[in-house]
Amino acid sequence: MDTQQFIPKSLVNNTTKLSFTWKTPSNIALVKYWGKTEPQIPKNASISFTLSNSHTITTIDFVPKLNLKTNDINFELFFEGKKKEDFKPKITKFFERIIKYCPYLTTYNMVIHSENSFPHSSGIASSASGMSAIAMCLMSLEKSLSSAELTDEFINKKASFLARLGSGSASRSIEGPLVVWGNHPAIKGSSDVFGVPFPYEVHEVFKNYHDAILLVDKGEKQVSSTVGHDLMHNHPFAEERFKQANENLAKISKILQNGNLDSFINLVESEALSLHAMMLTSNPYFILMKPNTLEIINAIWKFRNKTGSKVCFTLDAGANVHVLYPANESENIAQFIDNELSKFCQKNHYICDVVGLGAVNV
Ligand code: DP6
């Protein structure tokens, strides 16, 4: 894989403070990434809807260092206005991983201010939106330091490449409405090292798709994604799972083009349950679903049987349930959630989201 293209060649010297702000979304995978090798190479291809309302806004101030002899990476981190020391190790590791591709990092003292649109303790993964926002700020810096003109296409590609090194799913949070990450024969231009927008015409029914995120459990997860990915090494069903995911990706590529919602529902729900089946069958095994996760799944199945609705669910690595439905059902599903599902959420909380287009400079 050609990663040399991401090493900047001609950078100018800058002595003034520069500041950039980006708003980047979270995403929800339809075919899941679960299992990877170094350096953040996925074991199978994945695809996600980019979200819109669930996002991170990050500003980075780049202040040129007075003493250029020090090669350390210096940054201060503020989350929702407060200094956040416990987020620093993950970001330090991220910066160390990308230094080869962003050598200018060591020439600045950085101040990072970040905030999420969703409550921090909502159980919604913030690493995708958080890492992609930092990556976009770095690419804005690189653009202003580059003597060569950088195209938007290159900026997005490299931002996704960098974001991936912070958190795999973050590679899918630069563009929208559908992004594939992982080399796959059915997806033209796909790559293991960056995400690409789904390259084919998407059926009308998937435009403006809705995602209501039901907040079943807002607590810290007992098992992090990093540990979960790790447990896929030596997992008895790993190889079959990677094969299944890649087959599902080929299938969903067709479904997204032909608009067959029954096939979509079947594939997306099966992916969610297969992901959790990997957790149940890891060693050590673990369960991230809660009783209310199952209550919601059963209520969705019952509602679908009764009404013929095309609503379905998916799960990420947690207890919360993403309820997916086409825009023309939004009123009915809003009622269904209020009447029958919100009671299973902590404090009846859920977030209404919709498919979005990716990172925005603010
Ligand atoms: C279940 O991207 O959070 O949400 O690369 O270790 O940061 P790291 O993992 P992460 O894993 C996401 C897993 C998932 C499925 C998905 O988004 O594809």
Side-chain angles (χ1 to χ4, degrees), residues 276-318:
H276 283 257
M278 291 301 108
M279 303 173 190
L280 299 175
T281 49
S282 297
N283 197 355
Y285 41 80
F286 59 105
I287 305 178
L288 295 183
M289 291 184 284
K290 298 281 181 199
N292 281 348
T293 310
L294 299 181
E295 293 285 2
I296 292 168
I297 291 174
N298 279 308
I300 289 174
W301 286 343
K302 206 164 136 199
F303 180 80
R304 212 161 60 211
N305 273 336
K306 199 172 76 188
T307 63
S309 161
K310 302 297 181 196
V311 64
C312 72
F313 72 87
T314 188
L315 307 166
D316 56 17

Side-chain angles (χ1 to χ4, degrees), residues 29 32-34 36 40 90 127 167-169 172 225-226 229 275 316-317:
K32 310 289 180 179
Y33 145 60
W34 198 244
K36 60 178 167 181
Q40 294 280 97
K90 194 161 183 187
S127 66
S167 179
S169 55
R172 302 189 312 244
S225 291
T226 312
H229 284 291
L275 167 72
D316 56 17

